[in-house]
Amino acid sequence: MSRVKIAVIGAGSIAWSSKIIHDLLHTPTLFGSEVVLMDIDQGRLRLVEGFAKRYASELGADIKFIATTDRREAIRDADFVVNTAMFGGHSYYEKMREVSERHGYYRGVNSTEWNMVSDYHTIWGYYQFKLALEVARDVEELAPEAWLLQLANPVFELTTLISRETRVKVIGLCHGHLGYKEIARALGYDPEKVEFEAIGFNHVIWLTKLTYQGRDLYPLIDEWVERRASDYWERWRLTQRDPFDIQLSPAAVDMYKRYGLFPVGDTVRGGTWMYHWDLRTKQRWYGPTGGPDSEVGWMLYLARHEWYTGLLERVASDPRLSVSSFFPPARTDESLIPIISSIANDQPAVYQVNIPNMGSIDGLPDNVAVEVPAEVSGKGVRRTLGLKLPGKILKAVLWPRMMRMEMALTAFLEGGRQILIDWLMLDPRTKSEKQAEEAWEAVLSLPENQEMARHYRG
Ligand code: NAD
């Protein structure tokens, strides 16, 4: 059992805070540890602190929680720094989306081929990049031996940026790979008993292996596609309630047919514009909600976010409620806390991680973050070398996605307007240079974007 200091930056995160706390309180190998919850939003901070302390005392779990708005104090001498902070809150990005749409950019200038995810902020993520880099620089200075676990998006861009610009040991994490479980279930297999491998870039990962007791399950996927998919889709179209229920959607199967491997998790949300032109197109490929990134699906997601905030408020403040009754009795499927335990207690295990490639996947540069399985222990991260993807996926999917990542990083690091215009000149929605100019002018003119405008206007 190791006692460590864990700093959580952006601890008010609705997507992450309660899960992290729940998993920690169900991990006796980390008991005795200190967790510093840090956020700039006092209200959220109090809410999460109240929730954590009540839950810990209810379970009798030996984890000490401290709350602060001082990031440097939180990070100082930490063993692990978890970054879940998202600059500006969801409403800020919705404003940029609305302004972009007025200029002909459905779902915003940020949406591009292989990144349609509504809170994966790349080209308009100036402040989010800046915040993530500041956190990493604090780690470099105040806790140079710490591991930085980057959960806030865009994990692909930020893990690459941090690994290039600092000496920090960074791992990007995402739960999207768990989509393999739905594929296994559809084939009639217990997901806990199959073995899988899904590799690529974060949100662009492809199933390179699915086996049960050594038997390749890909032929069963083919059989499912041929014989069962259309019945499945008929029922699914009538019953789809959750916009995230798209792992076996027509879009996923179409991507499989085009590229030769099954897309996993958030990968299905991406693809080219052929799946995303407008709501009707999205509904054809992703079901009645149009998937999580349509105007309908994203509204449902944001409403759920609000609802969950309210639930946490009630649970944290009403002493008559038992916190544990709202949560599962065991740890969730998230790998963050198990990874911390593996490192702190030197217990090697294999996890899905985002790390600089360094030879993990053939045909990709070393200094780009790839998502791969790797062994994590007290000795660090041990990659498997020489993993392979088909040429079609490498050249037609990963390279174009990597090019967008490089453009977003260059825009952030070097500034200037031209790269923003170039970004849109590659976009099939752009009909003229004037349209691209006007769209960016409108985005940069938002009152929240004054600093970002100075960076890009020069
Ligand atoms: P949220 O708005 O609920 O939480 C973000 C928190 O960051 C807020 O409490 C906010 O006050 C805080 N914050 C903002 N600026 C800060 C600063 N300068 N310093 C410290 N804290 C600051 O957002 P959310 O829905 O919980 O999402 C959080 C992040 O997690 C997003 O980037 C989202 O895309 C990402 N996410 C990642 C995954 C994954 O699998 N990796 C899954 C879901 C969400």
Side-chain angles (χ1 to χ4, degrees), residues 210-387:
L210 187 68
T211 58
Y212 174 72
Q213 294 182 344
R215 176 182 167 209
D216 180 13
L217 296 185
Y218 251 106
L220 295 190
I221 296 183
D222 293 335
E223 198 184 306
W224 186 90
V225 167
E226 205 176 300
R227 303 224 181 119
R228 291 165 54 197
S230 53
D231 283 353
Y232 172 89
W233 290 333
E234 213 171 294
R235 262 196 325 275
W236 166 80
R237 284 195 185 282
L238 294 173
T239 55
Q240 188 202 27
R241 289 221 168 75
D242 183 352
F244 286 83
D245 174 17
I246 57 167
Q247 179 58 70
L248 295 162
S249 61
V253 169
D254 190 69
M255 288 179 196
Y256 173 38
K257 288 182 178 164
R258 281 171 198 276
Y259 301 105
L261 290 177
F262 217 85
V264 179
D266 300 288
T267 314
V268 180
R269 296 165 71 176
T272 65
W273 279 100
M274 66 167 284
Y275 308 112
H276 298 278
W277 279 121
D278 51 24
L279 181 58
R280 280 188 63 170
T281 314
K282 281 178 181 272
Q283 285 170 324
R284 177 176 160 221
W285 294 108
Y286 297 103
T289 61
D293 302 298
S294 74
E295 53 273 54
V296 178
W298 195 242
M299 200 182 63
L300 290 171
Y301 176 75
L302 293 181
R304 194 162 72 188
H305 195 272
E306 281 298 301
W307 171 83
Y308 196 70
T309 313
L311 177 71
L312 276 186
E313 274 162 5
R314 263 204 75 196
V315 170
S317 62
D318 188 341
R320 290 165 305 174
L321 296 176
S322 129
V323 184
S324 19
S325 63
F326 287 87
F327 292 89
R331 263 197 327 227
T332 67
D333 275 351
E334 299 293 348
S335 56
L336 172 75
I337 299 302
I339 284 182
I340 292 180
S341 179
S342 277
I343 296 175
N345 297 295
D346 194 19
Q347 291 166 336
V350 173
Y351 299 98
Q352 184 85 356
V353 293
N354 289 264
I355 47 173
N357 186 29
M358 306 299 290
S360 290
I361 300 181
D362 281 354
L364 295 173
D366 280 346
N367 66 349
V368 165
V370 290
E371 184 165 315
V372 286
E375 187 185 274
V376 180
S377 69
K379 291 165 203 69
V381 178
R382 207 178 65 177
R383 345 169 131 58
T384 306
L385 298 178
L387 299 171

Side-chain angles (χ1 to χ4, degrees), residues 9-16 38-41 44 71 84-90 119 128 131 151-153 155 173-176 301 305:
I9 311 302
S13 157
I14 294 304
W16 284 108
M38 184 272 151
D39 204 289
I40 51 167
D41 181 331
R44 282 274 187 97
R71 187 175 75 211
T84 60
M86 184 175 74
F87 175 89
H90 288 283
D119 62 354
Q128 179 69 350
L131 171 57
L151 268 57
N153 282 323
V155 165
L173 291 179
C174 177
H175 41 219
Y301 176 75
H305 195 272

Side-chain angles (χ1 to χ4, degrees), residues 195-199 206-210 264 352 373 387-388:
E195 292 201 334
F196 85 104
E197 181 187 87
I199 63 170
W206 302 86
L207 192 66
T208 39
K209 176 179 156 189
L210 187 68
V264 179
Q352 184 85 356
L387 299 171
K388 304 225 176 335

